[in-house]
Amino acid sequence: AYFKRYQVKFRRRREGKTDYQARRKLIIQDKNKFDTPKYRLVVRVTNKKIICQIIYAKIKGDHVLSHAYSSELPRYGLTTGLKNYAAAYCTGLLIARRVLKKLKLDERFKGVEEADGKFFLYTKQNKWKRIMARKRGKTLAKSPNPLRVLLDVGLHRTTTGAKVFAALKGAVDGGLSIPHSEKRFTGFNKKTGPAALRTVIFGGAVAHYMKKLKSQGSEAYRKQFGGYIKAGINADDLEAIYKKVHAAIRADPEHKSTAKKFTGEKKRWNAKRLTGEQRAARVEEKIKNFAAAAAAGAAE
């Protein structure tokens, strides 16, 4: 047949959801590292929140080691602005501290305890340094290697200042080892880069825009920052709030499930199933009604 060479693409490729060329490079492991997980930091930005997950691939499919959502940040003191650059940094910091605590590496790899915007990266202990030290008659203390993770941005555009890189910076400052360059961070410049990035991490861009709209006295300020006004947050309060959030995340990064309280009756779209006793009683009632109707007809 004419189309006999046509090969149907994978479903998620047909739906435009997965870049399989990138995925193949992210999940294929070296043959001499058989059955060693290759971890990915999966960052997704939706209209309402930012999602971070530590995932590794198995034959059956992907396995999620840990996850963090920006919708958890109200528990740490950030009640509004849950999808901006600063919130992405907080979510990355949360996933890093959570997964390290789960693996009992949180005390060994603390990362950057106060964000400064400077380049930081944990690296693997070099075995050649140990060999050379041994030749010199010295011994280097063995220590666990940092958790190495690769950034998975999916189909997101990797533009300078993208929120996926804010989550990356938060995860690196939280103690994960993620190979990266600082060229994609907001305000990258060899001289002013760290200071500009620190400003944005602590909500400086949001504070600047708040002040600008407020000085104009327009309706746009009340429309754009209604959540901040309702929470009683001013532009000058943001840096202190984010510092408290970072400290709270480091103090208790563990996930806490929130039990949803149900109020009201559960909706049903079909009849409730009767028990055996109810069915027997229903049959008896029908028989009695039928006999009473037959007796009434005979009396007439």
Side-chain angles (χ1 to χ4, degrees):
Y2 181 75
F3 290 109
K4 67 180 181 179
R5 291 183 183 87
Y6 180 76
Q7 183 176 3
V8 178
K9 296 186 186 299
F10 291 152
R11 176 181 58 82
R12 288 185 64 87
R13 172 62 189 87
R14 296 198 305 268
E15 294 172 353
K17 290 181 178 179
T18 299
D19 178 359
Y20 278 98
Q21 185 178 10
R23 178 179 168 82
R24 194 180 304 115
K25 291 178 181 178
L26 283 169
I27 68 172
I28 287 182
Q29 184 62 285
D30 297 337
K31 298 296 181 185
N32 62 345
K33 298 176 184 174
F34 179 75
D35 208 26
T36 302
K38 197 171 184 179
Y39 297 107
R40 314 191 318 269
L41 172 64
V42 178
V43 182
R44 299 291 181 267
V45 182
T46 72
N47 289 335
K48 291 186 177 180
K49 58 187 173 184
I50 293 164
I51 303 166
C52 292
Q53 296 172 313
I54 302 292
I55 295 178
Y56 62 95
K58 287 186 171 183
I59 295 295
K60 295 180 187 175
D62 282 357
H63 180 80
V64 180
L65 179 66
S66 186
H67 69 276
Y69 300 90
S70 63
S71 54
E72 297 178 58
L73 296 178
R75 183 161 69 91
Y76 297 101
L78 188 65
T79 55
T80 187
L82 301 180
K83 55 177 185 171
N84 57 27
Y85 199 90
Y89 178 90
C90 293
T91 312
L93 179 65
L94 178 59
I95 185 69
R97 300 312 300 164
R98 181 170 290 172
V99 72
L100 288 175
K101 187 158 189 177
K102 185 175 183 179
L103 299 175
K104 298 180 181 177
L105 293 171
D106 54 327
E107 291 298 324
R108 176 68 182 82
F109 301 102
K110 293 187 178 181
V112 180
E113 301 210 18
E114 187 172 346
D116 52 11
K118 294 179 182 177
F119 182 80
F120 174 81
L121 181 65
Y122 278 120
T123 54
K124 188 178 178 181
Q125 196 179 49
N126 194 329
K127 71 173 184 179
W128 298 111
K129 283 185 179 179
R130 290 202 304 270
I131 292 170
M132 295 305 293
R134 204 179 300 127
K135 285 183 177 179
R136 294 192 209 101
K138 298 178 182 178
T139 54
L140 292 177
K142 281 191 176 182
S143 61
N145 285 317
L147 181 66
R148 191 170 186 271
V149 183
L150 303 177
L151 179 65
D152 183 341
V153 297
L155 303 178
H156 200 287
R157 297 274 183 175
T158 52
T159 52
T160 302
K163 285 183 271 191
V164 290
F165 297 117
L168 161 70
K169 181 60 176 168
V172 169
D173 285 357
L176 296 182
S177 177
I178 307 175
H180 69 283
S181 167
E182 56 186 341
K183 291 182 180 179
R184 286 300 184 193
F185 294 146
T186 295
F188 169 73
N189 187 299
K190 288 185 178 179
K191 293 181 180 177
T192 61
L197 180 57
R198 184 195 178 282
T199 302
V200 180
I201 286 171
F202 288 106
V206 178
H208 176 71
Y209 193 49
M210 281 179 79
K211 289 176 181 177
K212 182 181 176 182
L213 290 184
K214 194 172 183 179
S215 63
Q216 294 173 357
S218 62
E219 183 64 30
Y221 174 71
R222 287 183 288 277
K223 185 178 179 182
Q224 187 78 21
F225 295 102
Y228 291 84
I229 295 168
K230 190 176 180 182
I233 299 172
N234 297 317
D236 297 327
D237 302 333
L238 286 176
E239 183 169 345
I241 288 171
Y242 282 114
K243 282 184 178 179
K244 287 179 182 176
V245 171
H246 296 171
I249 287 171
R250 287 182 174 277
D252 182 21
E254 290 189 62
H255 176 69
K256 289 181 174 57
S257 58
T258 54
K260 294 182 180 178
K261 295 180 181 179
F262 175 72
T263 56
E265 295 181 3
K266 190 176 179 182
K267 290 184 179 179
R268 289 190 69 95
W269 285 269
N270 58 349
K272 191 175 181 181
R273 183 169 179 154
L274 300 176
T275 63
E277 295 169 357
Q278 288 172 332
R279 289 198 298 274
R282 189 179 171 199
V283 169
E284 285 180 16
E285 188 179 353
K286 283 185 177 181
I287 291 170
K288 286 179 183 177
N289 292 340
F290 180 76
E300 291 176 1

